Amino acid sequence: MNEHIARQLREAADAHQPDRARMLARVQRGAAGPAVRHRARSGLRSWPGVAFAALAAACALATGGLAVAGIVPWTPPPDTATTAPADPSPTATPTPTRSAPPTAAPAPATTAPPTATPASPRPTPSASSRPQNGPLWSEGSIDPHSTVYWAQSNLALRTTQPLTSLTVELRITQTGEVRDTGNWRTLPVDDFTITVQESGGALVYRWVLKPGRTVPAGQHEFAAQYNHATGVRGSANDGYRVDAQSAGGPASVWGGFQPGR
């Protein structure tokens, strides 16, 4: 009888078409879930029932084993081993791609910076001038209000001592149509004898301190005014000379006229 049952079981097993997907799911659930402990039932089963149950279980295990063997190679179950989580590694910071540095632009050709030009150039007095001597200091300039038709030559004269004798002479070279139009000074007009005349190719303005008069210490101005040919007139050949007498003795200064400021 047992052989008959076994044969029927084998035939049933051979004819059985297992549902592989369901079996795999059951295997996975069984592997993942905790083992189910069945409460032992009281009492003993009869021997035929036990034997039949044992054979059925053996056949089921054999059939299940074949099914699992056929399924596992294609769909392996996940590793269910419980392991302690590894320490999270620090997030790798992406290394920025370094591009080649831009090609430096060619340096511009080095040129010497332009020399700053003062608004009113005043060259160093030449050897033919002496703007300072004893108590006297002097400076000649062309008035900035001069035009292409008319000009004014100025002389600033400073003395640190009173002067008992003084002669101031301004020479304006005849460059074409140079004619006297006037003159002035900051000292009293009655203290001087004033003359304007042509001499040696120049228009000469002269102030001579009258006897018994005194020029006080300080700065004083003398100016010659004149017309000239239309255009910018050159003053390179113009000049002045001052001769004076003070308690310290005689002193003389001379020089030219620079463009006014």
Side-chain angles (χ1 to χ4, degrees):
M1 181 177 180
N2 290 338
E3 293 178 2
H4 177 69
I5 294 173
R7 185 173 61 253
Q8 289 180 342
L9 291 175
R10 283 194 298 272
E11 292 174 357
D14 292 338
H16 178 66
Q17 295 296 329
D19 189 343
R20 294 182 179 180
R22 294 184 63 186
M23 294 179 68
L24 178 58
R26 293 178 67 182
V27 170
Q28 290 177 344
R29 286 197 301 270
V36 179
R37 294 179 180 273
H38 298 282
R39 184 174 57 184
R41 293 184 180 181
S42 60
L44 297 176
R45 290 186 176 185
S46 61
W47 182 87
V50 173
F52 181 80
L55 289 175
C59 291
L61 290 175
T63 304
L66 292 174
V68 171
I71 295 170
V72 168
W74 288 274
T75 311
D79 185 8
T80 58
T82 303
T83 57
D87 292 337
S89 60
T91 303
T93 302
T95 303
T97 302
R98 294 181 179 271
S99 59
T103 303
T110 303
T111 57
T115 304
T117 303
S120 55
R122 291 182 176 273
T124 302
S126 64
S128 62
S129 66
R130 185 170 73 177
Q132 187 171 357
N133 178 237
L136 302 180
W137 174 91
S138 62
E139 182 180 52
S141 64
I142 301 298
D143 194 273
H145 297 97
S146 299
T147 69
V148 295
Y149 308 105
W150 174 91
Q152 176 175 298
S153 297
N154 299 327
L155 172 65
L157 177 66
R158 184 169 65 239
T159 176
T160 58
Q161 297 178 3
L163 303 177
T164 57
S165 173
L166 176 65
T167 299
V168 177
E169 184 177 280
L170 274 60
R171 297 179 63 86
I172 310 302
T173 303
Q174 183 57 258
T175 56
E177 303 180 27
V178 175
R179 292 189 297 271
D180 171 45
T181 60
N183 63 84
W184 58 267
R185 83 278 94 227
T186 56
L187 292 169
V189 63
D190 292 339
D191 289 354
F192 290 90
T193 300
I194 304 170
T195 60
V196 180
Q197 61 184 3
E198 291 270 358
S199 176
L203 189 61
V204 180
Y205 293 78
R206 184 180 290 115
W207 293 264
V208 178
L209 185 66
K210 293 178 179 180
R213 308 294 176 93
T214 302
V215 174
Q219 182 163 318
H220 312 288
E221 302 285 338
F222 295 83
Q225 300 173 330
Y226 47 90
N227 287 336
H228 58 77
T230 303
V232 178
R233 179 183 177 277
S235 60
N237 295 321
D238 298 349
Y240 68 87
R241 180 182 178 91
V242 177
D243 296 298
Q245 180 75 38
S246 67
S252 298
V253 291
W254 60 84
F257 298 95
Q258 306 301 330
R261 287 180 287 186

